[in-house]
Amino acid sequence: HLLESGGGSVQAGGSLRLSCATSGLTIRRYCMGWFRQAPGKEREGVATITSGGVTNYKDSVKGPFTISIDNAKNTLYLQMNSLNPDDTAMYYCAADSRYFLRCPLVPGSYNFWGQGTQVTVSS
């Protein structure tokens, strides 16, 4: 199971830190990722990370967003800085054990999903 937390409402330029607590899986054996879906839009990949720490980011979030994992806590994080209204979406964490060298940003590549946490950025 994957359980996201940390979402909320912030003004443009603000920061949030999302967490994804896992149970029933050993995070270091999985590709982990953050995805988001805005109303009326398709779900898209934001950032992914391998168990070895290799990251992959959507171009528009490179720099302001940082994905990380704490293997001891079995928890995935997404630090989001310099948020803007375009970042408003439901954010989901996901996991899959089929990839090792580089985790894809394609949502269809992941089998396990959390319920999501809402992020709202106002201008």
Side-chain angles (χ1 to χ4, degrees):
H1 297 288
L2 307 175
L3 182 63
E4 303 93 336
S5 62
S9 297
V10 296
Q11 291 190 327
S15 298
L16 286 172
R17 188 194 194 202
L18 305 184
S19 299
C20 175
T22 68
S23 62
L25 60 86
T26 303
I27 198 170
R28 65 179 181 272
R29 297 178 181 173
Y30 286 76
C31 260
M32 302 295 298
W34 287 101
F35 299 80
R36 67 187 182 188
Q37 188 167 16
K41 295 187 177 181
E42 293 187 353
R43 192 169 298 189
E44 64 178 1
V46 176
T48 64
I49 188 168
T50 68
S51 59
V54 176
T55 57
N56 191 11
Y57 290 95
K58 175 181 171 64
D59 285 346
S60 63
V61 305
K62 287 180 181 177
F65 289 15
T66 303
I67 189 171
S68 62
I69 52 175
D70 185 328
N71 288 318
K73 296 182 178 179
N74 258 2
T75 301
L76 175 73
Y77 302 99
L78 183 67
Q79 177 67 43
M80 305 186 294
N81 298 327
S82 303
L83 286 162
N84 65 72
D86 289 341
D87 296 316
T88 294
M90 184 71 79
Y91 282 71
Y92 301 89
C93 71
D96 202 281
S97 63
R98 294 173 290 173
Y99 316 105
F100 298 98
L101 297 180
R102 187 173 176 87
C103 299
L105 283 167
V106 179
S109 300
Y110 292 77
N111 279 331
F112 302 101
W113 291 86
Q115 295 299 306
T117 185
Q118 178 68 38
V119 172
T120 303
V121 185
S122 58
S123 57

